[in-house]
Amino acid sequence: MESVVGRTFLPKGQNTVTRCPIVIRLVQDSQKEAFYVWNEIDQGKVGFNKQNYKVTERAVTSKILASQSALLVGNKKGLTRKKCFVEINSPQVINLTVVDLPGLGILYIRI
């Protein structure tokens, strides 16, 4: 997924690390690069403006994405249908939307 997007910011690790769907929007923009990260709860608030969720440093996008996921799921190992959004505006991307879905959850039952 990151090779298609051309950026590295998705959660990495063992087992299921993507806890909620992550909607990644690439928007071709002739202006400078801009990164935005927000979650579905924020988007539903009255007066929502994505400008308030702008990420100033490209390197911290993954940390902010992890914190937005934690707001939706908590620090437990659960999954949710609520989405996190990442929007990348750049002159070096094509208009494209992709979704990173949580992996398969396995429940072990001891008999």
Side-chain angles (χ1 to χ4, degrees):
M1 178 92 55
E2 288 181 337
S3 63
V4 171
V5 174
R7 308 285 191 276
T8 57
F9 57 85
L10 293 172
K12 294 172 187 55
Q14 293 181 339
N15 300 323
T16 303
V17 291
T18 302
R19 303 278 172 219
C20 63
I22 301 171
V23 179
I24 305 162
R25 295 180 184 154
L26 302 178
V27 180
Q28 190 173 43
D29 189 351
S30 61
Q31 305 299 320
K32 60 183 178 178
E33 281 193 345
F35 298 85
Y36 304 93
V37 180
W38 70 93
N39 65 48
E40 190 172 319
I41 295 171
D42 295 331
Q43 187 172 355
K45 292 180 182 175
V46 176
F48 171 80
N49 183 353
K50 75 176 181 187
Q51 296 297 327
N52 297 334
Y53 298 90
K54 188 172 184 177
V55 179
T56 55
E57 293 183 37
R58 187 171 165 179
V60 298
T61 304
S62 60
K63 292 178 184 176
I64 293 173
L65 181 58
S67 68
Q68 290 293 326
S69 295
L71 287 173
L72 295 176
V73 182
N75 293 326
K76 305 281 185 204
K77 297 290 184 185
L79 302 174
T80 184
R81 292 181 180 180
K82 295 177 182 169
K83 298 177 275 304
C84 281
F85 296 89
V86 176
E87 185 171 305
I88 302 170
N89 296 355
S90 172
Q92 300 169 341
V93 299
I94 59 170
N95 292 325
L96 180 69
T97 300
V98 294
V99 180
D100 182 24
L101 296 172
L104 177 67
I106 300 172
L107 177 64
Y108 293 99
I109 301 174
R110 185 179 254 172
I111 300 177

